Amino acid sequence: MKKKIKNYAVITLGTLLFGMAISLFIDPNNFAPGGVSGLSIILSRLIPLETGTLFLVINVPIMILGVWQFGKRFLLGTLYATFMSSVFTNAFKAFPPLTKEPVLAAIFGGALLAAGMGMVLRCGATTGGTDIIVKCLRRRKPYLKTGTLFLLLDAVVVGIGGIVFRNVDAVLYSALSTMITSIVLDMVLYGRDEAKLIYIVSDKFEIITERLLKDVGIGVTHLTGSGGYERKEKQVIMCVVKKLTAHRVEEIVKQEDNTAFMIVSSASEIYGEGYKSYFGEKL
């Protein structure tokens, strides 16, 4: 029950940021950054309805797709998120825009939009619109990142916005905002999971292993390798650590064996204890 309350609190905060991004940065600067929100902004210039209201109306058929693909449990959180996104978008229309400088509006509006969407997605819901379409595509193509799929779909709406507004600058700023949203969304969804994969080849592997277990508190795996030149068997230490912890591993290796061979690479998809669950749905 506590988890459910916490999720809805996070969804509420996410939709609050979503509404702020649309009404205080994007909409007043005539950007159509993509997705249903961008489409709603375009239609609000053609139909006498507020952007938030149009956002809710357009989402109805997409909601039906969501129920078909993910079931009623998915619908509850998404219905709430979509409704609150519409409410906050209309509510913030009462306030003046925070900036009329288009570059600032594109950057901060795009980042705020991504932060809100990312918070909602991490709670297993969506703000409706292309969020649902992206989740459907991710089920079929899990190797594609969420931010990338949003970028592809949003490009279509940005193009439509260019035709309606007949303003090349508005199209370019919309594209900039969309790219910012894509980058920040991937950071929100995947950044926390990024880690470093480290391989260490050293004759002092025992003492290095002991220090990694004791001083850093991480698990290590010993691999057996063979040197190509000397043909001698060597022990290789493999470990995965959070980005902020990687420097401690490097320092220990430097202290114990400054001639050790070490490879440090980035790892973004890690499953197991301390990282992602094998059974969790991909975002």
Side-chain angles (χ1 to χ4, degrees):
M1 187 66 180
K2 282 185 178 180
K3 186 179 179 182
K4 196 171 183 180
I5 293 171
K6 181 183 176 182
N7 279 348
Y8 273 91
V10 173
I11 289 172
T12 303
L13 179 57
T15 55
L16 174 73
L17 296 179
F18 182 96
M20 288 177 65
I22 296 296
S23 295
L24 301 182
F25 291 97
I26 295 171
D27 195 358
N29 284 281
N30 289 324
F31 299 161
V36 171
S37 54
L39 196 58
S40 302
I41 290 170
I42 293 169
L43 289 175
S44 70
R45 305 303 192 267
L46 306 172
I47 301 171
L49 286 175
E50 289 189 331
T51 303
T53 305
L54 287 166
F55 180 81
L56 192 61
V57 170
I58 296 170
N59 268 300
V60 172
I62 301 175
M63 288 286 188
I64 296 171
L65 172 66
V67 175
W68 176 53
Q69 286 290 314
F70 305 105
K72 293 180 180 178
R73 187 179 176 185
F74 161 85
L75 178 65
L76 196 60
T78 295
L79 264 177
Y80 176 76
T82 304
F83 176 75
M84 292 306 295
S85 296
S86 174
V87 168
F88 283 129
T89 300
N90 282 343
F92 281 112
K93 287 281 284 185
F95 298 91
L98 291 181
T99 179
K100 291 296 286 184
E101 170 57 48
V103 175
L104 291 176
I107 293 172
F108 286 96
L112 207 59
L113 191 66
M117 289 166 58
M119 292 171 72
V120 173
L121 284 168
R122 290 197 75 94
C123 291
T126 79
T127 54
T130 49
D131 298 24
I132 295 174
I133 297 170
V134 166
K135 280 181 76 76
C136 291
L137 291 173
R138 282 279 288 165
R139 270 196 164 186
R140 298 180 183 276
K141 307 285 183 180
Y143 52 85
L144 293 175
K145 284 197 169 185
T146 299
T148 304
L149 289 170
F150 271 113
L151 186 61
L152 293 173
L153 293 172
D154 290 348
V156 177
V157 178
V158 170
I160 295 171
I163 296 170
V164 172
F165 292 129
R166 295 182 181 180
N167 186 329
V168 175
D169 286 348
V171 174
L172 294 176
Y173 287 128
S174 296
L176 174 61
S177 181
T178 301
M179 285 187 284
I180 296 293
T181 300
S182 174
I183 293 167
V184 175
L185 184 58
D186 278 343
M187 287 173 61
V188 171
L189 294 179
Y190 310 115
R192 192 175 65 176
D193 296 323
E194 282 189 2
K196 295 292 183 181
L197 173 62
I198 302 176
Y199 292 96
I200 305 161
V201 182
S202 170
D203 292 332
K204 298 181 180 180
F205 70 93
E206 288 183 354
I207 190 168
I208 292 174
T209 296
E210 187 178 338
R211 287 200 60 188
L212 292 177
L213 292 170
K214 184 179 178 182
D215 298 352
V216 186
I218 58 171
V220 302
T221 300
H222 283 170
L223 308 174
T224 302
S226 177
Y229 180 71
E230 296 181 343
R231 304 293 179 181
K232 289 183 180 179
E233 190 174 281
K234 291 182 178 291
Q235 290 293 317
V236 181
I237 302 170
M238 183 187 78
C239 59
V240 177
V241 295
K242 299 288 187 181
K243 288 176 72 174
L244 295 176
T245 312
H247 75 281
R248 294 176 63 192
V249 175
E250 294 171 13
E251 193 62 33
I252 287 171
V253 175
K254 188 190 299 181
Q255 291 171 3
E256 299 298 338
D257 184 4
N258 58 14
T259 64
F261 184 76
M262 182 165 56
I263 301 172
V264 181
S265 62
S266 295
S268 59
E269 294 283 339
I270 308 156
Y271 296 88
E273 188 176 350
Y275 293 91
K276 293 179 182 177
S277 167
Y278 290 104
F279 307 104
E281 184 180 354
K282 279 181 173 284
L283 291 172

